[in-house]
Amino acid sequence: MSDKGKKTQRLDKILSHMGVGTRSELKKMVKQGRILVDGKTVKDSGMQVNPETNVIEADGERIVYRETIYLMLHKPPGVVSATEDARDKTVLDLLRKEDRVFDPFPVGRLDKDTEGLLILTNDGPLAHDLLSPRKHVPKTYEARVLGKVDDEDVQRFKAGIQLDDGYEAMPAELTVFHHEETEEGVISSISLIIHEGKFHQVKRMFQAVGKRVVYLKRVAMGDLQLDTELPIGRYRELTADELACLRK
């Protein structure tokens, strides 16, 4: 088979993958003359086309075909990092229909009440690399902690904290920004870089030193930083440079 033959696909498969319509809806669109390939009206929705070289238009809009999608979401609290949930709103519920057709999934999890950077993609190999325990991809958090976080805590985190189930967490980089007196007690504003992703890990690390996280936000994953201009609950596609950061 020629290279050209390998790259051709059914037109209706391409358009349904891009969320233009179902197979039956696309047949109707073809009958109505609403789909063009290379400027010519399509007669058969099952015709073979090359999405890389043929110009495909539906209702006057050019359809740019692609297999993968990479999204940066500023996850809000109250939303679960899952593809479906019987009780709670999921991060997929925040996506537009045209992005959901790619079947993206969250790369890792943020707790329901945690906000911040969450990557959604349908690129399984990339997600595997980012989550693999062997890769130790660093994750950076900012938090407000009830209790005075001090230099002793910094050293304990650096040495590796033992969690409540006996697990020895890897060394983590804790930075204390400032302390604030409140009615509840001293609130410490901190930054923490961890190299693994155990369940509720940041909260459990601070519990181990007798303190409680009252606000948590992930601001970076590897070299990828959360876009500070991205409003909470909103998302956008990753740029080529940002995707390169993730692939490092």
Side-chain angles (χ1 to χ4, degrees):
M1 182 183 289
S2 68
D3 286 342
K4 183 179 179 182
K6 289 179 183 177
K7 292 182 179 178
T8 62
Q9 298 182 47
R10 284 179 60 107
L11 176 62
D12 52 6
K13 180 181 178 182
I14 292 169
L15 292 175
S16 62
H17 178 78
M18 296 302 296
V20 176
T22 63
R23 294 284 178 97
S24 59
E25 289 170 342
L26 292 167
K27 280 185 179 179
K28 289 180 184 177
M29 292 177 71
V30 165
K31 284 183 180 178
Q32 294 164 351
R34 294 159 56 193
I35 297 178
L36 308 180
V37 172
D38 295 336
K40 297 177 182 177
T41 304
V42 171
K43 303 296 185 186
D44 176 16
S45 63
M47 72 179 288
Q48 292 286 321
V49 298
N50 185 332
E52 294 180 10
T53 57
N54 294 122
V55 177
I56 305 170
E57 296 172 86
D59 289 335
E61 181 180 344
R62 181 167 180 178
I63 306 299
V64 180
Y65 182 74
R66 58 184 178 166
E67 295 282 350
T68 51
I69 190 169
Y70 304 92
L71 304 173
M72 173 191 292
L73 169 69
H74 187 163
K75 178 194 168 300
V79 177
V80 296
S81 302
T83 54
E84 57 183 356
D85 191 276
R87 294 178 302 171
D88 296 309
K89 190 174 186 179
T90 75
V91 290
L92 290 196
D93 293 325
L94 302 176
L95 304 186
R96 295 181 291 269
K97 177 185 174 183
E98 58 264 34
D99 294 320
R100 288 200 302 270
V101 298
F102 287 93
D103 293 326
F105 52 85
V107 179
R109 300 175 66 87
L110 285 181
D111 299 339
K112 181 179 175 181
D113 59 351
T114 298
E115 71 168 87
L117 174 64
L118 189 67
I119 303 302
L120 294 107
T121 184
N122 57 355
D123 185 337
L126 176 64
H128 178 268
D129 282 346
L130 290 172
L131 298 175
S132 171
R134 297 192 307 274
K135 301 281 185 178
H136 302 312
V137 175
K139 302 166 190 72
T140 306
Y141 293 84
E142 290 178 355
R144 288 168 59 80
V145 179
L146 182 60
K148 188 170 184 178
V149 181
D150 55 22
D151 289 341
E152 183 180 342
D153 295 317
V154 170
Q155 294 306 315
R156 289 183 68 182
F157 274 64
K158 188 175 181 180
I161 292 286
Q162 185 178 68
L163 302 184
D164 47 11
D165 59 359
Y167 177 79
E168 290 278 353
M170 292 176 63
E173 299 161 52
L174 173 61
T175 303
V176 184
F177 294 135
H178 58 81
H179 301 105
E180 175 187 349
E181 291 284 352
T182 71
E183 290 183 1
E184 282 189 279
V186 176
I187 296 287
S188 304
S189 294
I190 65 93
S191 170
L192 180 67
I193 302 175
I194 62 175
H195 299 269
E196 55 206 325
K198 297 297 179 183
F199 183 68
H200 290 319
Q201 181 169 339
V202 174
K203 295 174 183 176
R204 291 165 66 201
M205 290 174 83
F206 279 102
Q207 283 176 355
V209 295
K211 298 172 178 70
R212 179 165 64 87
V213 173
V214 294
Y215 167 80
L216 186 61
K217 177 180 182 179
R218 183 159 68 194
V219 295
M221 190 168 186
D223 290 332
L224 179 67
Q225 304 279 332
L226 175 65
D227 182 351
T228 56
E229 300 296 315
L230 191 62
I232 191 165
R234 301 293 292 275
Y235 71 96
R236 64 165 175 79
E237 292 201 37
L238 294 182
T239 66
D241 287 345
E242 287 170 337
L243 188 53
C245 279
L246 279 184
R247 293 192 187 282
K248 278 185 181 178

